[in-house]
Amino acid sequence: MAKTALITGITGQDGAYLSKFLLEKGYNVYGFLARRGSDTLWRLRYLNILDDVKIIDGDLLDLSSLIRALELSKADEVYNLAAQSFVGTSWQQPILTTQVTGFSVINVLEAIRLVNSKIKFYQASTSEMFGKTTETIQCENTVFHPRSPYGVAKLFGHYITINYRESFNIFGSAGILFNHESPIRGIEFVTRKVTSAAAKIKYGKQSKLYLGNIDAQRDWGYAKDYVEAMWLMLQQDTPDDFVIATGKTSTVREMCDIAFSYLGLNYQDYVEIDQKLYRPAEVERLLGNPKKAKEKLGWEAKTLMKELIELMVEADMERVKDNKPEF
Ligand code: NDP
Ligand code: GDR
């Protein structure tokens, strides 16, 4: 019989790719959707799956809506991807971020405990939990030192998932995912900001690109590859936590060079530093060790940073050429 999944954060980058992946596997896919004034369904439309997913209204902050969603969907698997996920905003809205990104994880876990404790649960943990790490390469046992309200909130979500696993035998797995991007990445994140700007500059529609700390280093992978790892975690016999990363790190500067060079441009002619874009506390360098995921899940990243950035530039060139909204 076909399995059923409920995805919170279905309108986000990962929610859209995961929906497509699960639909292709024959799942019934339900999306838990917080109604907003604006159109948040564009990613599902972009991937051509809007008509294939079933939407249930709700909000992570509202436990009753989560209970209702579990009862209506009869989900076998819940993927908790919803969050206030932009690190920069987490200093401007620290309380909301703590409530949505951190505290709400316990709402999802409580809903599972109350409705059907056999449901398998995936929590979207993050490399931001490592923050000011002293380890050159981070794995599942690396000590956490989050640097933002977002990172602190995610750490709560991570540990409460482990706690419900240990306390109530809930099948809860946390994926510690390093940065992953795609043509449907939010425009506020640095990769998409850069690829979109490079395309506009190429077409003469923008003249400068203002960035913050371009010496920050990240382990960037492709979201489409990473959603498979989420699914694999819930297909195991026992719940566990996994680092998902490419095992390679690059600076924002190097990423800019790749994006602009692809279009025959020199990024140094266009990028300017704006001190206002620096963060109150920065995560300087992240590099993940995906060894455990390879050994236990048989997962490894297929797409590395250069190929990823180039395909994002291609997609943004199409958007600018056709005057399509950038979202
Ligand atoms: P996005 O920011 O693209 O998506 C976040 C989703 O959460 C959106 O669908 C948003 O809905 C939804 N959401 C926000 N607040 C609520 C709420 N109160 N109730 C219900 N839904 C809500 O994130 P990504 O897809 O990039 O990431 C998915 C998850 O993985 C997030 O939890 C993120 O923190 C985490 N993560 C992401 C990484 C990455 O590099 N992308 C790396 C590691 C972890 P709406 O569209 O209506 O605003
Ligand atoms: P991050 O992603 O904070 O790692 O969180 P983001 O792309 O926002 O920043 C990456 C690095 O680039 C530096 N930077 C800039 N960032 C942005 N957004 N805009 C700029 O102009 C700019 N200039 C330099 C940042 O300082 C940072 O060092 C993402 C999110 O998806 C989280 O939800 C997720 O948990 C982590 O990745 C893993």
Side-chain angles (χ1 to χ4, degrees), residues 201-231:
I201 288 169
K202 183 73 184 172
Y203 276 107
K205 295 188 173 178
Q206 186 172 328
S207 53
K208 290 285 174 200
L209 168 61
Y210 293 94
L211 295 175
N213 177 16
I214 59 174
D215 293 315
Q217 290 175 260
R218 289 292 184 276
D219 180 331
W220 277 295
Y222 187 14
K224 202 172 162 191
D225 293 347
Y226 283 34
V227 296
E228 182 180 14
M230 299 176 184
W231 174 75

Side-chain angles (χ1 to χ4, degrees), residues 42-43 46 183-188 192-193 195-200 205-206 315-316 319-320 323-327:
W42 66 272
R43 292 186 173 94
Y46 186 95
I184 54 170
R185 183 60 144 152
I187 198 82
E188 65 275 32
R192 200 47 230 299
K193 184 173 173 182
T195 60
S196 164
K200 285 188 199 148
K205 295 188 173 178
Q206 186 172 328
D316 277 317
R319 287 186 177 108
V320 180
N323 266 325
K324 289 208 178 119
E326 63 178 355
F327 301 107

Side-chain angles (χ1 to χ4, degrees), residues 137-201:
I137 178 156
Q138 299 90 45
C139 67
E140 293 78 6
N141 300 323
T142 301
V143 174
F144 297 121
H145 184 153
R147 292 276 277 172
S148 61
Y150 168 81
V152 174
K154 279 287 182 185
L155 196 52
F156 173 81
H158 186 73
Y159 277 126
I160 203 68
T161 300
I162 294 171
N163 180 260
Y164 267 56
R165 181 161 85 206
E166 294 175 354
S167 308
F168 303 115
N169 216 15
I170 300 270
F171 190 113
S173 290
I176 307 173
L177 271 56
F178 282 61
N179 298 55
H180 46 279
E181 322 291 311
S182 74
I184 54 170
R185 183 60 144 152
I187 198 82
E188 65 275 32
F189 299 95
V190 76
T191 51
R192 200 47 230 299
K193 184 173 173 182
V194 168
T195 60
S196 164
K200 285 188 199 148
I201 288 169

Side-chain angles (χ1 to χ4, degrees), residues 36-309:
R36 316 269 186 216
S38 58
D39 173 27
T40 57
L41 296 170
W42 66 272
R43 292 186 173 94
L44 299 174
R45 224 174 274 121
Y46 186 95
L47 297 183
N48 215 10
I49 54 169
L50 182 56
D51 293 339
D52 303 325
V53 297
K54 301 173 191 81
I55 297 295
I56 301 177
D57 286 355
D59 194 294
L60 271 200
L61 295 171
D62 183 339
L63 173 63
S64 65
S65 70
L66 282 161
I67 290 175
R68 189 175 156 271
L70 291 184
E71 287 175 346
L72 278 175
S73 64
K74 301 193 170 37
D76 303 295
E77 298 172 5
V78 170
Y79 295 85
N80 185 34
L81 309 185
Q84 190 303 95
S85 81
F86 186 47
V87 173
T89 294
S90 78
W91 280 282
Q92 285 147 15
Q93 299 176 18
I95 297 167
L96 181 79
T97 301
T98 301
Q99 285 169 337
V100 174
T101 305
F103 176 74
S104 290
V105 182
I106 208 167
N107 280 344
V108 189
L109 286 163
E110 272 297 285
I112 289 175
R113 195 176 68 79
L114 294 167
V115 175
N116 173 9
S117 61
K118 297 276 173 280
I119 292 171
K120 290 184 167 184
F121 173 73
Y122 173 84
Q123 169 58 17
S125 289
T126 168
S127 51
E128 278 295 296
M129 300 185 311
F130 296 122
K132 196 181 178 183
T133 183
T134 51
E135 301 286 329
T136 47
I137 178 156
Q138 299 90 45
C139 67
E140 293 78 6
N141 300 323
T142 301
V143 174
F144 297 121
H145 184 153
R147 292 276 277 172
S148 61
Y150 168 81
V152 174
K154 279 287 182 185
L155 196 52
F156 173 81
H158 186 73
Y159 277 126
I160 203 68
T161 300
I162 294 171
N163 180 260
Y164 267 56
R165 181 161 85 206
E166 294 175 354
S167 308
F168 303 115
N169 216 15
I170 300 270
F171 190 113
S173 290
I176 307 173
L177 271 56
F178 282 61
N179 298 55
H180 46 279
E181 322 291 311
S182 74
I184 54 170
R185 183 60 144 152
I187 198 82
E188 65 275 32
F189 299 95
V190 76
T191 51
R192 200 47 230 299
K193 184 173 173 182
V194 168
T195 60
S196 164
K200 285 188 199 148
I201 288 169
K202 183 73 184 172
Y203 276 107
K205 295 188 173 178
Q206 186 172 328
S207 53
K208 290 285 174 200
L209 168 61
Y210 293 94
L211 295 175
N213 177 16
I214 59 174
D215 293 315
Q217 290 175 260
R218 289 292 184 276
D219 180 331
W220 277 295
Y222 187 14
K224 202 172 162 191
D225 293 347
Y226 283 34
V227 296
E228 182 180 14
M230 299 176 184
W231 174 75
L232 283 168
M233 284 179 220
L234 297 199
Q235 310 316 306
Q236 304 305 301
D237 293 334
T238 48
D240 204 347
D241 309 317
F242 293 90
V243 159
I244 301 297
T246 68
K248 309 223 176 308
T249 193
S250 317
T251 59
V252 172
R253 189 190 293 277
E254 287 161 344
M255 185 267 293
C256 288
D257 189 21
I258 288 171
F260 280 79
S261 296
Y262 187 68
L263 300 176
L265 303 171
N266 181 350
Y267 81 95
Q268 288 167 317
D269 294 336
Y270 305 99
V271 170
E272 296 207 350
I273 301 304
D274 181 347
Q275 294 297 330
K276 290 197 289 299
L277 294 169
Y278 274 67
R279 293 174 175 177
E282 176 64 289
V283 173
E284 295 292 348
R285 182 176 186 275
L286 291 172
L287 170 60
N289 180 355
K291 187 163 169 268
K292 181 175 168 185
K294 187 171 182 192
E295 284 173 3
K296 296 206 169 166
L297 303 176
W299 181 90
E300 63 186 324
K302 299 187 190 87
T303 318
L304 297 184
M305 197 270 273
K306 182 167 184 292
E307 188 186 344
L308 165 69
I309 294 302

